[in-house]
Amino acid sequence: MAKTLPKVDVVTVGVGWTGGILAAELAKDGMKVVGLERGKERSTEDYLHGHDELRYALRYELMQDTSKETITFRNNRKQRALPMRQLGSFLLGENLGGAGVHWNGQTYRFFPYDFEIKSMTEKKYGKGKIKDGYFVQDWGITYDELEPYYDQFEKACGISGEENPMAGKRSNPYPTPPMKSTRSLDKFSEATKELGYKPYRIPSANLSEPYKNQYGMQINACQYCAFCERFGCEYGAKSDPVISVIPAAKESGNYEIRYHSNVTEVIYDGSKVTGVKYVDVQSGEEFIQPAEVVALTSYVMNNVKFLLMSDIGQKYDPKTGQGVVGRSYCYQILPGATGFYEEEQFNTFMGAGALGTSINDFYGDNFDHSDLDFIHGGVISITQTGKRPIANNPTPPDTPRWGKEFKSNSIKYYTRTLTIGSQGASLPYKENFLDLDPTYKDAYGLPLLRMTYNFTDQDKKLQKYITKKTAEISEKMGASKTVPNPELTDYSIVPYQTTHNTGGAIMGADPNSSVVNSYLQHWNAENLFVVGASAFAHNGGVNPTDTVGALAYRAAEGIKKYRKNGGSLV
Amino acid sequence: MSEQEKYSRRDFLKKSGYAAGGVVGGGLIASLITMQVMEDDPKTKNQSNGGSEDQFNDAFMFFTNRDDFRVLASSCERVFPEDENGPGAIKLGVPFFIDHQLAGPWGNNTKEYMQGPFYKGEPTQGYQSRMNRGEIFRMGIKKLKEKSQSDYQKSFQELSAEEQDKILTAFENDEVKMTGTTSAEFFELMRAATIEGVYADPMYSGNRNMEGWKMKQFPGAQMSYIGKIESDKFVDIEPQSLHSMLNK
């Protein structure tokens, strides 16, 4: 029998970026906030001996324990979904700060085009441009409306960056100047300028100088030690929820985090939610935490899973195209090209997660799509995130995968390859969706989330087009040999690609085609907010965290308004 | 240890062989056990393990018999052979790295979802075996031994490098029948673990004396590159392990 606890103003399910931001904003405003974190506490001191590629990057020290909870996966509805028994394609986080601790820190905004993709595309190219089966839609909010929230998130992080000539208008400059540059970044800048493009430094949450944010929290200067992605920062120089926002919530005296608390249900009475049920995974005790407002602030997967398990909102049915929960799951594609350099050796082992330079000349509708059979595009970048030796064994094509030649070439080219990468935007497709698995269960007896996903025709065409552009840049940079990434085939859950999963509980202006409104307030439960990349109506062609942070600030404002006036906020 | 000491120890080992082990220090004896385990392998005879200090953990945590360990060691050496760049998998301690990994969480799949039902999936669905990695290695090694006998009537470690490569290629191409797993799955695990053992921090028993890192010019666990990141030239830095950070 679950024990019912005293009611609080707000309970957040998960304490990463979104849970941390809501806590900081709402607890400061006087609300009693409880954060339920399924994992353990951790802080900067825990990362001092973190330069261990095997433990952190290969054995996933900071990641979700898939023996307890994972997803099932299939490429299409005809296949039997099987459990993702080990992590691969994307890396789900766990413990305080969530995936916000092991991120790289690349903090781009989405572009005005992203938020109005449908209207802009139809206006310029006509209604037939968006092909049947793609749920391309406007987000119910414009870039200009979201801009102030981007500004707040970037101030909380102290983002180091410079004006991007092709981006949406900013109300303020970046809080700190761009990071240092390197030989490989300079080569990219020169080559892209020669090709007529407009390079700019990647907005970075690895800070170029010490910074104090709006909550008075100190973030330190990056040391370029090259252990960001999959690692925590031992310097407190990579903004993450644990150093940037959670301490502000704690200082208010209105915030409590309960660790080892795994939520199993959002309690829903058909029009409102009354709280959540959770289990203390160490004692096995069950609790009910009543709250005026419930905020789902876990990763995409669990935000959607909670809605499906608690039966809130109409589930998406791919057979009829009706329903919204689980619809519009998106990922990203990774066009790119690798240049092999016979004459020059680079310091590829140094770097930082967001150390890089980008162009947006092939993003969104910055290039003419009249004669192209796809829409959108992607950022093109060079990054120097720090190559580590187990995972990075680049060899020219036709090199065997093991043996003498493999050894020689992988050693030689470890410091003699530069990759031009891209993140291709991903559009929702009717056959790509999330629902509950009928067979497999997690450690608490709850169904696993089932992912049905494959790359689309749009993805394949975009991959081919952008890959060609990246190869041209690599050649311009003077690579002795350039090897473009292969064309897309079926999506595989096995090799690491990107932890930029989105959708499943998307935002929009119409309850028939979205789960939450532009404040992330659920259409079918006015006191439930579903916050995160689960709200993205499609996935843009840059890293999602800046937009996740902006939406969290927007939701925080929504919750304040709701507590004052009640009812629907739109 | 200074460079000079390292090389003189190597020379000593070369000249004396492991029989002399009894008269020198404990650290040396421990390192000689590596060779003793390998004594039947002509390719590894009379080689040091890279001049490392006390190797008390050069002992079996997972394996139970030497022959299985030798087969694994010979396989790893084919994946990452000794050559003009430097030591191969055996000298780098990779077989012990794998033994220790198999004895721990990785070999026991403690962080993997191991609930049934189990079905053979599509390649895009990944690992679907009900066996853990330790069990897959045991079966894979047994199959390597069987195939060596049936193809060449010799043990795996007695085969020429070319013959060993032929057998390993058959595993890689999934041409060897296994139950509960596939020969390709075993091969991929063995290949991946070998590369991990070459380049993981030496505390895990591979990458002896950081020789893996030195070959690749990876400086290991450095605290900061802030003074070097803007350099236009390649910067060669002496590597440093996590152990040395703890002692600072």
Side-chain angles (χ1 to χ4, degrees), chain A residues 197 333-338 362 367 374 377-380 419-424 459-475 482-488:
Chain A
Y197 309 145
I333 56 166
L334 304 172
T338 299
F362 298 97
F367 57 113
F374 61 86
V379 70
I380 294 177
T419 298
I420 311 305
S422 175
Q423 301 176 49
D459 290 330
K460 289 173 185 169
K461 286 164 182 161
L462 182 60
Q463 169 93 1
K464 213 170 156 178
Y465 183 87
I466 302 280
T467 292
K468 199 163 158 265
K469 301 294 174 195
T470 60
E472 286 165 11
I473 295 170
S474 173
E475 279 160 16
T482 291
V483 180
N485 286 358
E487 292 188 17
L488 285 181

Side-chain angles (χ1 to χ4, degrees), chain B:
Chain B
M1 189 189 309
S2 72
E3 286 295 293
Q4 201 182 357
E5 277 170 346
K6 190 174 79 192
Y7 288 111
S8 64
R9 180 173 286 191
R10 263 185 188 167
D11 288 341
F12 171 73
L13 284 167
K14 263 187 190 161
K15 286 171 195 147
S16 58
Y18 83 90
V23 298
V24 292
L28 195 51
I29 293 172
S31 65
L32 287 168
I33 291 170
T34 316
M35 296 161 54
Q36 205 171 347
V37 167
M38 299 291 158
E39 67 198 312
D40 293 343
D41 183 349
K43 285 187 299 302
T44 60
K45 214 168 182 178
N46 296 332
Q47 288 172 353
S48 82
N49 65 0
S52 43
E53 296 290 350
D54 290 350
Q55 294 293 348
F56 292 115
N57 53 359
D58 278 4
F60 295 161
M61 297 179 187
F62 173 81
F63 284 95
T64 48
N65 77 67
R66 293 182 181 193
D67 197 46
D68 289 354
F69 186 74
R70 287 187 194 108
V71 171
L72 172 73
S74 305
S75 309
C76 298
E77 185 70 16
R78 293 315 303 151
V79 170
F80 201 86
E82 177 160 5
D83 67 0
E84 64 278 5
N85 290 292
I90 290 175
K91 269 199 197 167
L92 289 166
V94 169
F96 285 111
F97 165 86
I98 294 178
D99 172 82
H100 301 349
Q101 288 293 308
L102 289 173
W106 186 73
N108 287 291
N109 288 30
T110 56
K111 274 185 92 173
E112 278 68 41
Y113 185 85
M114 295 304 282
Q115 293 182 43
F118 291 90
Y119 297 101
K120 186 180 178 317
E122 299 296 322
T124 58
Q125 293 176 301
Y127 194 103
Q128 294 298 336
S129 176
R130 70 173 69 225
M131 293 160 70
N132 67 30
R133 296 186 185 93
E135 291 166 325
I136 292 173
F137 267 82
R138 276 191 214 286
M139 187 186 283
I141 289 165
K142 185 162 172 276
K143 291 283 169 183
L144 278 174
K145 289 159 87 168
E146 285 173 11
K147 190 159 172 61
S148 308
Q149 286 300 336
S150 67
D151 289 8
Y152 300 103
Q153 295 78 51
K154 279 183 188 168
S155 65
F156 184 77
Q157 59 274 36
E158 284 169 351
L159 301 177
S160 69
E162 290 70 29
E163 290 166 339
Q164 288 178 338
D165 285 356
K166 266 193 188 152
I167 288 187
L168 290 171
T169 303
F171 274 75
E172 182 184 22
N173 295 339
D174 215 5
E175 290 159 6
V176 181
K177 195 168 162 31
M178 289 174 66
T179 48
T181 181
T182 64
S183 70
E185 197 155 40
F186 163 66
F187 180 85
E188 291 306 322
L189 279 174
M190 187 274 292
R191 175 189 178 273
T194 300
I195 294 168
E196 287 171 1
V198 169
Y199 296 121
D201 191 280
M203 75 164 140
Y204 295 104
S205 290
N207 188 17
R208 293 281 155 96
N209 203 29
M210 303 185 279
E211 294 288 342
W213 288 347
K214 285 175 193 165
M215 278 187 277
K216 215 170 183 176
Q217 292 176 288
F218 174 71
Q222 302 288 330
M223 289 307 285
S224 170
Y225 296 118
I226 195 164
K228 303 185 175 83
I229 187 76
E230 292 173 296
S231 168
D232 272 352
K233 296 272 176 299
F234 183 76
V235 190
D236 213 349
I237 301 166
E238 188 67 18
Q240 167 169 301
S241 69
L242 283 164
H243 174 72
S244 64
M245 283 173 70
L246 192 64
N247 288 348
K248 266 181 186 164

